[in-house]
């Protein structure tokens, strides 16, 4: 009898200890998870502060940006390859133009016949800073309103309204740490600016460029890239063709007969100790970024630029909160189906939010004041955003929300 009581006592003690152990383990896990998120947030915050500092220093050194719209004249257009054209732009007032950080973009406002309002789009600067002109390189998209307008109607002598260079995706040219640039298709444009800046400044910085396209028909600035790889020993160029043409030669035109893959990147680099800059299609960016994370590359060393709404990550499906458009006198229950507050505003025909912009968090056109509540961003804002406002094209409500719209 005594043995049985001993046994039962020991068993109960074991169960209690096991439960306490599990509880303690769960608390430790929660603590580690929270600490990890907090340290990521701190790292992200510090990174943003550092980036702002670099932008301010660059403005001091290379001239402050103009505010609002400034007129530029197209001085030259160049066909780069199938469906991709470069546009050279000189300030119409002939006054000096400020420099920029390689990777930044220009914002254009266009008056397109048949459109009720002016349309805004962003295009990356595709060359390093020059004294007297900027260059952008634009791919024509099927049915694309602005890219089609550029290709069909913007010619030498055209005058365009442009906002000063901006954006948080840039190469800090004061550093000499090795970098890996990974570009898909026209996503090479900001990376070209980075590459050109490194070699023209005679920096010894090591640069790897992985460039993925379908085949030689889409190989933007092939001759220029080949020349840089030949002339500068610090530059390693690796071109990936996913669908090489019969005339494309492995080893001459391209190095990997596949899409850009992390397997190829890892095999070429050997170590992950680089700063990575990525710009391309949404699937390419997702594959590469997930792979880099798995490889142990810290989040702060992975910089990315999304070119448009198709590249924007789907937000976490917040549901059941309400969104009030105060000036339009509308209250809507957020179903979690729209990708952004701007999508919701467009669906509800809210005219007080301007939907003619980039839809990618870059141009600031959709900026709206928040009267109460909180939003969550589904990608890093590229445009400046002050406390109390939000870029509706890349955020969703986190709590009940009242917008001044
Ligand atoms: C920071 C930044 C930098 C950029 N840099 C570059 C650059 O250097 N070069 C470059 O070429 N682009 C760049 N872009 C992309 C560029 O801004 C435009 O998004 C791009 O040119 C498409 O604009 P669009 O007006 O031609 O196409 P849109 O008319 O906006 O259409 C985009 C695509 O969506 C499709 N579409 C439109 N409406 C619908 C609909 N209702 N249903 C289904 N499909 C639809 C169109 O067919 C088209 O393929 C950049 C974007 C950002 C944010
Ligand atoms: S539309 Fe450009 S930032 Fe939202």
């Amino acid at each position: 009898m005594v043995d049985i009581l001993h046994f039962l006592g020991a068993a109960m003690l074991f169960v209690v200890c096991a439960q306490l152990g599990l509880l303690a383990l769960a608390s430790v896990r929660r603590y580690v998870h929270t600490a990890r998120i907090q340290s990521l947030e701190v790292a992200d915050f510090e990174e943003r502060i550092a980036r702002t500092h670099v932008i301010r220093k660059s403005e001091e050194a290379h001239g402050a940006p103009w505010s609002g719209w400034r007129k530029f004249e197209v001085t030259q257009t160049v066909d780069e390859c199938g469906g991709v054209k470069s546009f050279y732009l000189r300030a119409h007032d002939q006054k000096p133009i400020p420099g920029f950080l390689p990777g930044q973009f220009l914002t254009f406002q266009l008056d397109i016949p048949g459109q009720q309002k002016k349309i805004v789009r962003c295009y990356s600067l595709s060359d390093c800073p020059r004294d007297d002109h900027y260059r952008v390189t634009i791919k024509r998209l099927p049915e694309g309103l602005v890219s089609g307008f550029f290709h069909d109607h913007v010619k030498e002598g055209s005058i365009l309204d442009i906002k000063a260079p901006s954006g948080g995706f840039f190469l800090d040219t004061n550093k000499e740490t090795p970098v890996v640039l990974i570009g898909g298709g026209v996503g090479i444009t900001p990376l070209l600016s980075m590459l050109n800046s490194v070699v023209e400044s005679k920096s010894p910085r090591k640069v790897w460029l992985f460039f993925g396209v379908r085949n030689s028909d889409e190989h933007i600035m092939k001759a220029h890239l080949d020349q840089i790889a030949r002339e500068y020993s610090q530059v390693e160029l690796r071109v990936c063709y996913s669908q090489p043409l019969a005339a494309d030669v492995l080893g001459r035109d391209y190095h990997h007969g596949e899409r850009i893959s992390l397997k190829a990147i890892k095999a070429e680099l050997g170590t992950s100790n680089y700063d990575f800059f990525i710009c391309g299609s949404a699937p390419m960016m997702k594959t590469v970024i997930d792979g880099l994370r798995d490889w142990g590359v810290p989040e702060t060393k992975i910089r990315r630029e999304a070119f448009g709404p198709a590249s924007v990550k789907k937000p976490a499906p917040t549901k059941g909160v309400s969104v009030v458009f105060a000036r339009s006198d509308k209250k809507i229950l957020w179903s979690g189906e729209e990708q952004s507050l701007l999508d919701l505003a467009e669906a509800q025909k809210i005219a007080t939010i301007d939907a003619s912009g980039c839809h990618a968090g870059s141009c600031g056109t959709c900026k709206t004041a928040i009267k109460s509540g909180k939003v969550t961003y589904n990608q890093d804002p590229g445009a400046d955003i002050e406390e109390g406002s939000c870029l509706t094209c890349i955020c969703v409500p986190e709590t009940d929300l009242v917008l001044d719209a």
Side-chain angles (χ1 to χ4, degrees), residues 105 121-124 137-139 141-148 186 189-190 305-309 358 360 362:
F105 58 83
R121 292 285 184 277
C122 305
Y123 291 100
S124 301
T137 302
I138 300 180
K139 178 180 172 143
L141 291 192
E143 313 288 326
L145 179 63
V146 172
S147 57
V186 79
T189 49
E305 178 91 285
F307 265 7
C358 66
S362 302

Side-chain angles (χ1 to χ4, degrees), residues 92-146:
H92 189 52
D93 57 19
Q94 310 270 337
K95 292 193 178 139
I97 52 172
F100 57 90
L101 287 155
Q104 291 193 305
F105 58 83
L106 294 175
T107 303
F108 292 75
Q109 178 180 253
L110 297 122
D111 211 347
I112 299 183
Q115 297 300 310
Q116 284 175 349
K117 48 185 167 182
K118 295 188 175 180
I119 307 291
V120 177
R121 292 285 184 277
C122 305
Y123 291 100
S124 301
L125 289 143
S126 63
D127 196 3
C128 56
R130 309 270 173 204
D131 286 344
D132 59 344
H133 71 270
Y134 296 132
R135 183 183 74 184
V136 291
T137 302
I138 300 180
K139 178 180 172 143
R140 180 202 285 274
L141 291 192
E143 313 288 326
L145 179 63
V146 172

Side-chain angles (χ1 to χ4, degrees), residues 342 354 356-367 383 391-394:
L342 185 62
D354 191 340
S356 64
C358 66
H359 289 229
S362 302
C363 68
T365 306
C366 66
K367 195 186 287 184
L391 295 176
T392 53
C393 66
I394 53 162

Side-chain angles (χ1 to χ4, degrees), residues 69-74 87-90 92 107-111 136 138 149-150 153-155 157-163:
W69 302 104
R70 184 171 172 189
K71 299 224 175 281
F72 277 73
E73 184 180 339
V74 177
F87 298 83
Y88 291 73
L89 306 153
R90 193 182 55 202
H92 189 52
T107 303
F108 292 75
Q109 178 180 253
L110 297 122
D111 211 347
V136 291
I138 300 180
F149 181 76
F150 263 96
H153 300 288
V154 175
K155 313 235 169 330
S158 296
I159 308 278
L160 304 170
D161 287 329
I162 301 180
K163 260 194 202 168

